[in-house]
Amino acid sequence: MGTTQLPTVPLGGTGLAITRVGFGAWAIGGGDWEFGWGPQQDHASIGAIHRALELGVNWIDTAAAYGFGHSETVVGRALQGLHERPFVFTKNSLLDDGTGHVRHSLKHDSILREAEASLKRLGGEAIDLYQIHWPNPEPDIEEGWAAMVELKEQGLVRHIGVSNFTLEQIRRLQAIAPVETLQPPYSLLEREVEAEILPAAKQDGIGVIVYSPMGSGLLTGAMTRERIEAMPDNDWRKSDDWFTEPQLTRNLALAERLRAVGERHGMSAGAVAVAWTLRNPAVSGAIAGFRRADQVDPIIDAVHLELTEADLAEIAAD
């Protein structure tokens, strides 16, 4: 996309200038697969995408695995006929095993087939950023990366990156071709990448976009025990460790502190959670998941929020 009313930053050395918050399309894949978020209405998903673009968000992150093609299909529908397309990022290597569960493949031919299918669902001339979703099977990561390089050389994808990779795995790929971007989980609940991976990415000029900055909804301030209990059985979060005891009590207390900090700034708890991740100098952008148009505005505020030392101390208090 061209100019936007939101500030942009470089995504590593890709040449892409992205808004600091991007649209995350995991949940809009629906609930009919292993890591689904329960029922989702496509018209609500498209409304959320359009609202984010209206506010100036200039990139969408999805994956072939999200609903096994459904998320990509919805994104493609939402972008049809737009004068300006946002950057579209997607991911590969997670396939349907025929029962709605995930199987992993990093075989050369599988990667090429997936890219072709994703591009057909998404539309456009090329995928702006294509990422290996998970480094599984681990012995095949070099084969998968070689296929990614081939796709870039063919012009079917413009940039290539990885998600959920360790630093040692990234180094293995760099021996073949540069890793342009990294997508790790990062939030107040999941900080492991701070120690080694984020500093190395910054040093190497790898662009970083982080996922689940709001802890998959836990840190939005809207999550309650009652809401978790009422989640449908095909929402993966219902049985996840973060959403069950003994971690749940601590996580809800953190969300309450985020809500209090947000109130001082006239912003939501979710915006505070996202802004916290954007403080890290290695992070270019954060992926925020939206399922309805009314969820977008309160989180986009994060790009304007500068947390004070007092804010950070309150957030860190246990």
Side-chain angles (χ1 to χ4, degrees), residues 9 19 34 115 131 210 236 247 264 306:
V9 295
T19 50
E34 184 176 2
Q131 304 153 96
V210 299
W236 69 271
Q247 296 188 44
R264 289 202 297 271
E306 294 187 13

Side-chain angles (χ1 to χ4, degrees), residues 17 93 160:
S93 77
I160 53 177

Side-chain angles (χ1 to χ4, degrees), residues 57-109:
V57 171
N58 76 345
W59 56 286
I60 297 172
D61 182 84
T62 183
Y66 301 159
F68 296 126
H70 189 70
S71 175
E72 289 183 331
T73 298
V74 172
V75 170
R77 285 174 54 195
L79 301 185
Q80 283 179 358
L82 293 187
H83 177 65
E84 276 191 297
R85 281 176 65 94
F87 300 126
V88 179
F89 307 160
T90 192
K91 299 180 284 291
N92 59 34
S93 77
L94 272 61
L95 305 172
D96 186 354
D97 71 352
T99 70
H101 291 78
V102 166
R103 69 176 178 88
H104 297 263
S105 176
L106 285 169
K107 293 301 183 183
H108 172 274
D109 291 351

Side-chain angles (χ1 to χ4, degrees), residues 267-280:
M267 296 189 182
S268 67
V272 177
V274 173
W276 182 90
T277 68
L278 296 176
R279 292 181 66 256
N280 191 295

Side-chain angles (χ1 to χ4, degrees), residues 9 24 64-65 84 156 159 167 187 224 240 250 255 269:
V9 295
E84 276 191 297
L156 294 176
H159 302 284
L167 182 56
S187 71
T224 63
D240 184 76
R250 181 172 181 174

Side-chain angles (χ1 to χ4, degrees), residues 49-280:
I49 292 171
H50 287 169
R51 182 55 184 161
L53 299 183
E54 287 170 5
L55 292 177
V57 171
N58 76 345
W59 56 286
I60 297 172
D61 182 84
T62 183
Y66 301 159
F68 296 126
H70 189 70
S71 175
E72 289 183 331
T73 298
V74 172
V75 170
R77 285 174 54 195
L79 301 185
Q80 283 179 358
L82 293 187
H83 177 65
E84 276 191 297
R85 281 176 65 94
F87 300 126
V88 179
F89 307 160
T90 192
K91 299 180 284 291
N92 59 34
S93 77
L94 272 61
L95 305 172
D96 186 354
D97 71 352
T99 70
H101 291 78
V102 166
R103 69 176 178 88
H104 297 263
S105 176
L106 285 169
K107 293 301 183 183
H108 172 274
D109 291 351
S110 180
I111 297 291
L112 299 189
R113 284 194 300 270
E114 283 196 71
E116 190 174 323
S118 289
L119 188 55
K120 183 176 181 180
R121 287 188 289 262
L122 293 166
E125 297 177 355
I127 296 168
D128 294 300
L129 172 64
Y130 202 38
Q131 304 153 96
I132 293 179
H133 206 155
W134 283 89
N136 297 328
E138 202 266 349
D140 294 340
I141 62 173
E142 285 88 354
E143 179 175 349
W145 192 241
M148 299 282 279
V149 173
E150 185 176 325
L151 287 166
K152 184 178 179 183
E153 291 172 346
Q154 293 173 353
L156 294 176
V157 306
R158 295 189 172 100
H159 302 284
I160 53 177
V162 298
S163 181
N164 300 301
F165 274 56
T166 67
L167 182 56
E168 185 272 335
Q169 290 165 341
I170 291 171
R171 294 285 186 251
R172 284 167 55 184
L173 300 190
Q174 285 173 322
I176 299 171
V179 174
E180 296 185 87
T181 66
L182 170 65
Q183 183 182 144
Y186 184 47
S187 71
L188 279 156
L189 301 179
E190 197 162 6
R191 302 180 59 174
E192 292 84 353
V193 293
E194 288 179 333
E196 186 177 60
I197 292 177
L198 292 183
K202 181 171 176 55
Q203 181 176 346
D204 291 355
I206 297 173
V208 176
I209 52 174
V210 299
Y211 73 84
S212 296
M214 294 179 285
S216 299
L218 261 178
L219 303 182
T220 60
M223 192 61 65
T224 63
R225 295 177 189 278
E226 293 74 22
R227 183 175 171 184
I228 294 168
E229 290 172 3
M231 284 179 177
D233 291 339
N234 60 353
D235 189 323
W236 69 271
R237 298 173 296 173
K238 189 168 188 176
S239 58
D240 184 76
D241 288 347
W242 284 357
F243 289 78
T244 54
E245 296 297 355
Q247 296 188 44
L248 179 59
T249 293
R250 181 172 181 174
N251 293 341
L252 290 178
L254 171 58
E256 181 61 22
R257 297 197 299 275
L258 293 172
R259 186 195 59 77
V261 170
E263 283 187 349
R264 289 202 297 271
H265 294 276
M267 296 189 182
S268 67
V272 177
V274 173
W276 182 90
T277 68
L278 296 176
R279 292 181 66 256
N280 191 295

